[in-house]
Amino acid sequence: MRRSRSSAFLPARAPAPTGAGGGLLPTRDLAAAWSLVVLIAVPAWALTVGQARDMGVEPGTMGMALPLFLLLWVTMMAAMMLPSMAPVAITWVRGIGRQSSGWSRAARTAEFVGGYLLVWTGFGLLAYAALAFTGGLVDDHPTAGRWIGSIAFLLAGLYQLGPLKHVCLRHCRDPLSHLVRYAGFRRPARDLRVGIHHGAYCVGCCAGLMVVLVPLGVMNIAAMAGLALVIFAEKLWSRGPVLAGVVGIAFLVLALLAPFQDWLLPGLQGSMPSMDGM
């Protein structure tokens, strides 16, 4: 029997959904693929931590020009997102390997990764604009930082509990049906389109979590590590959707506390006076 076009991108046995603890690859292939993920993620984290130590946590863009900010942003996203999106990426790249070899395989893999990072770069432009606006507002009106932080936590909490988060998280947790759809994409630039499509869902899944980097600080290593852990658990843990709701409620609580607790706002405390000094 002739294999269908989509079969090259699917495992031999039907997997359980990603979020249910099932794998999209045989154990041996999965171990090798995760080793590669670690080899990429560890240097990305090392570079991010090194830059954060040099720059510290300050309001706004910390004086960075847009190109430098985007470079650091993409590095941060690679460090934070790669482990959680690895099951889809590994399976798709494995399918590429079945259909291509040599330079063709490398080019198609680069297209897929490039499409994914392109979406996060676009989101980085929005993040830069938001940080520039809030940083300027805090510089002009130091006490505004408390209300900016409260609004950021409020928006993040509402997003975590909203329908768009649910749709995008469902895609990221159970990507098998989407891999079948991706295999039907026509050339040219099919792999680029797949990367962009999956990247858009990933941004939609994590957008609310990224908003809290405004009050917590975009170069706050503790915040980035905590968010990366939440993202990983939401997508791969069996109770990920429950965790997403709990995190959303926690953000709403922080929105109520933020105007009165400066320690919740390290990324908005440039020249903000303490509550005792008011």
Side-chain angles (χ1 to χ4, degrees):
M1 181 180 294
R2 186 178 180 181
R3 296 172 63 190
S4 66
R5 177 174 57 179
S6 63
S7 63
F9 291 92
L10 299 178
R13 289 178 291 180
T18 300
L24 290 175
L25 291 174
T27 302
R28 184 177 61 183
D29 292 345
L30 190 62
W34 273 104
S35 298
L36 180 60
V37 169
V38 171
L39 288 176
I40 297 173
V42 168
W45 271 108
L47 179 59
T48 301
V49 171
Q51 290 296 326
R53 286 180 176 177
D54 293 338
M55 302 177 68
V57 179
E58 299 178 11
T61 62
M62 296 167 288
M64 287 187 286
L66 179 59
L68 177 59
F69 176 87
L70 290 178
L71 178 61
L72 293 178
W73 176 265
V74 171
T75 302
M76 287 168 51
M77 294 306 104
M80 295 175 66
M81 303 298 168
L82 184 58
S84 63
M85 62 87 66
V88 174
I90 290 168
T91 305
W92 185 257
V93 171
R94 187 187 184 211
I96 290 175
R98 288 174 174 175
Q99 294 186 339
S100 308
S101 61
W103 286 107
S104 176
R105 177 169 56 191
R108 291 187 60 190
T109 301
E111 274 191 39
F112 170 75
V113 175
Y116 182 85
L117 294 179
L118 182 63
V119 176
W120 276 107
T121 301
F123 189 74
L125 292 173
L126 297 178
Y128 186 85
L131 290 168
F133 174 76
T134 56
L137 198 57
V138 169
D139 288 340
D140 295 337
H141 308 282
T143 57
R146 296 189 181 89
W147 306 108
I148 295 173
S150 181
I151 292 172
F153 282 123
L154 176 63
L155 293 176
L158 293 176
Y159 189 91
Q160 282 287 113
L161 300 171
L164 183 57
K165 167 75 177 191
H166 174 74
V167 170
C168 294
L169 181 58
R170 183 174 59 189
H171 166 94
C172 293
R173 285 176 56 80
D174 188 11
L176 181 58
S177 60
H178 298 279
L179 289 171
V180 175
R181 177 186 176 190
Y182 291 161
F185 281 8
R186 295 182 178 179
R187 296 184 181 182
R190 177 173 65 177
D191 301 293
L192 178 67
R193 291 171 56 203
V194 171
I196 291 173
H197 189 272
H198 185 63
Y201 272 103
C202 190
V203 168
C205 184
C206 304
L209 298 172
M210 295 298 104
V211 168
V212 301
L213 289 177
V214 171
L216 296 180
V218 72
M219 297 303 292
N220 186 330
I221 292 299
M224 283 189 283
L227 291 176
L229 183 60
V230 170
I231 291 168
F232 186 86
E234 282 186 353
K235 292 183 179 181
L236 302 180
W237 185 31
S238 60
R239 298 189 180 275
V242 176
L243 175 63
V246 171
V247 171
I249 294 173
F251 285 161
L252 295 180
V253 173
L254 294 180
L256 297 175
L257 297 177
F260 314 103
Q261 302 291 331
D262 290 349
W263 63 272
L264 291 173
L265 310 171
L268 293 170
Q269 287 186 6
S271 56
M272 188 168 65
S274 65
M275 292 294 293
D276 295 336
M278 290 183 62

